Amino acid sequence: MSEKKVNIETRRTSCRQWRFRTLLCIALAFPLLMLVCVKKEHLLHTLRGPAVERLSVEEVPSDQLADHLEALGLSSDSSIKIMRFSNGKSQKLHGRFLHITDIHPDPLYRTGSSIENVCHRGQPDGKEDEATRFGTAMAGCDSSMDLMEYTLKWIENNLRDKIDFVVWTGDNIRHDNDRNNPRTEAEIFDMNAKLTKRFEAMFRNPKSVDPRDFDVSIVPSVGNNDVFPHNLFSLGPTLQTREFYNMWANLVPEDQQRAFARDTSFFVEVIPGKLAVLSINTLYLYKANPLVDNCNSKKQPGFQLLLWLGYVLEELRTRGMKVWLTGHVPPLPKNFDQSCYDKYTLWTNEYRDVIIGGLYGHMNMDHFVPVDGKKSWKSVEQSAAALEKDLDDDAYPYEDDQDDDEVLQSAVEASDARLMGAKPVNKNAYMDSVREGYYKKVASRMGKIKADKKKDKKKKKKKKKHPKNNSVERYSIVNVAGSVIPTFNPAFRVWEYNTTGLEGSMAQDCSSSFKPWDAFFRQLDSQIEFDVSSEAKGDAWGSLSSIMRGSKEKKVDKTIPKRMPSNLKPGPGYAAQLFSPTRFVQYYADLETIEKDYKKALKLGASEDEAAAAAFKYQVEYCSDSEPYSMKSLLAQDYIDLAVKLAHNDTMWEKYTERAFCSTGYDG
Ligand SMILES: *[C@@H]1O[C@H](CO)[C@@H](O)[C@H](O)[C@H]1NC(C)=O
Ligand SMILES: *[C@@H]1O[C@H](CO)[C@@H](O)[C@H](O)[C@H]1NC(C)=O
Ligand SMILES: *[C@@H]1O[C@H](CO)[C@@H](O)[C@H](O)[C@H]1NC(C)=O
C-alpha cells in the first residue's frame, strides 16, 4: 500500500518537473511570452484541478458520422462544443454521458464449469448447467472476466469519443456466494484497483503526462460489495477509506482529500464551474450496513454525510452550478434507514434548482422511482412530534450504545448464513410494489389535481385560499440502472443533455469571484468537525423538537435542509434549460444470441477470439423518445406523465417490466 503511495508521489513530482522544463523552453524561445508562462505555471500550481477560468466556448460541427451515431441510437444532429480554459487546456463537449454499474467481474469464473457451482468449478450437469464464455442471464453467476473485458472494449470502440463523462456506480467484484472461496479483503481491493486502472487507461488524455488529465471524466462510487465484509463500512478515516483514496487518487480532486477520508464521498466538476457530479457513499445511509442506525445522532455516519451534502449543495447553489447525484444504493425506503431516506429525499427535493436528478445502481433492474419530498417533510415532522412525547417521558430515543465489535460479529455471521448471489428472485413482486406504491399514487394525485382544476374553472369567482404549488415539484426522480452482471442481460445507458446556452452562461460568468475550492474545503472540514463536536449547541433531535415547539432558541438540525427559497427557479430537472436531460439510449447484450453466434463461428472454424469478436456486441434496447414511452424530454413532468400511463395501461406496463429485466423474458 505504501509502495503505491510512493509511486503516485514520484509520478506527480516527475510530472511537475516535466511541466517546468517545458515552460522553461517556451520561455527561452519566446522571451515575450515569459510573463504569460510564469503566470500559467502559477495557475497550474495553485489550481491543479479543473477549477480554472474558461476563456471561450466554440461550436463546431460534430466530428462523428451521422450514420454511425444513428446506428448507436444517438442523436445525429448534434454539434459539439469546444471549451478553452485559461490554463491552455481545452475540453470537447458532446452533450452525452455514460452510466455503467454493477460489473461484478469474477476472477474465479471458468467457462465450461457448472453453473450450479456458481460457475467456478465442477462438470456441468448437461448443457443447461454449463457456464458459457460471456455468461447466461438469470443463472446467478457473476460476470466472467471476458464479459467485463469485452464490455469495456465495446464502450471504448463505440462510445469513448462521443461522451463527456462516465458515472460508474460500483460493485466491481464477485458476490460472496461461494462457500469454498469466501471473499478476502485483498481480493476486493485488488479487483477494484485493477478496474480503476482499466477505466483510467480507457479515458485518459493520451497526449498528456498528467495522470489526472482525462478526455472523459470518471466518477466512481463505493458499492456495498466493494467493502469487506460486504455492506459493513464505518465512518472514516479508516484503513478502508484510505485504500479507496489511494485507488482513486487520480479521480478524487486533491482538495477534497480530507472530506473524502471521512465520508468516501466527493464531487467532480465535469464542466468546470458549471456542472458537477456528486459521488455519494450510500453505505452510510444503507439499512443493511450494521453500523447505520439512523441519520439523527451526531455520531452516525449518515448524519455526517448529510452535513457534507448540505454544505456542498449550498456552495454549488451559490456558484450557480448544476449537479447530478450519483451513488450505488438507490435512496428508496426499501434500502435506506427511514430517517436517512427522509432527510436525503428532502435535500434532493429542496435543492431542485441545483440537482438535475439521481443515478444509482445496485438493484439490477432498469426503472425509475418518483420520491415524494412533501411526504418526507411530513415524516420528519412526525418523528419530531414522537420525539417530543418521548422527551417528556425522559427517554432519549435512538441512543447509539451498541458495541462496535458486537455489530461486526453479527454482520460476519449474517454474511455467512445468507450467501448472496446474483440470481433474480421475486422481481415481479418488487416491480408490482413500485407500480402500486409510486406510479398509482402519483396517478391518483395527478387525477385529483386535474379534477380540482376543472372545479376551479367552474367557479372562477371563488379563488382558492391556497393555490396548489406546481405539483410535479414535490417529486424527485430516482433513476435505477440496469447492470452489467448477467442477473438479466448486461446493460448500460447513455444520457444526452442540453448544452445550448453554455456560451451565453459564460458572459455572466463570475467564477473568479468565488473563493478557491481548497479554501472552501478547509472551512468545510473544520465546520463539520465543530458541528459534530459536543460544543455545537444541542443535537439533531433536541433542535428538531425545539423547532416543533416553535421555540425561539436557535438550534438547528443541519441535516434537514431549509425550504427552497421561492425566488429560485426550478433547475434543469424540471424546466428545459442548459443541462436538462433530453433523452437516453439503453444498450444491452443479448447473451442468448451471442452464445449462439459464438458457437456457430467456432463450428465454421474460427478461433475462440475470432468467434468472440464476431459474436459479442451491445445493441440498442430502446430509447426514451421512441414508442411506446415517447418521452419528449426527461424532465420530472415527463417521468410523472409516464408514471401515470404505467399506472393505468397494462400493455405499457408489460413493456416496461420486460425492459426492467433487460429483455431477458424473466417471469419470476
Ligand atoms: C410553494 O412552495 C413554496 C416553498 O415550499 C412556498 O414558499 C410558496 O409559498 C408556495 N406557493 C404557493 C402558491 O403555495
Ligand atoms: C436547451 O437550453 C436552452 C437554453 O439554454 C433552452 O432555450 C432550450 O429550450 C433547451 N432545450 C431543451 C430541449 O432542453
Ligand atoms: C396503452 O399503451 C399502448 C402502447 O403500449 C397503446 O397502444 C394503447 O393505446 C394504450 N391504451 C390506452 C387505453 O391508453
Side-chain angles (χ1 to χ4, degrees), residues 325-339:
L325 299 183
T326 77
H328 181 70
V329 182
L332 303 176
K334 173 186 161 68
N335 300 325
F336 280 18
D337 164 84
Q338 181 67 39
S339 59

Side-chain angles (χ1 to χ4, degrees), residues 627-628 649-652 655:
E627 290 278 319
N649 186 325
D650 289 340
T651 323
M652 186 94 109
K655 196 78 202 161

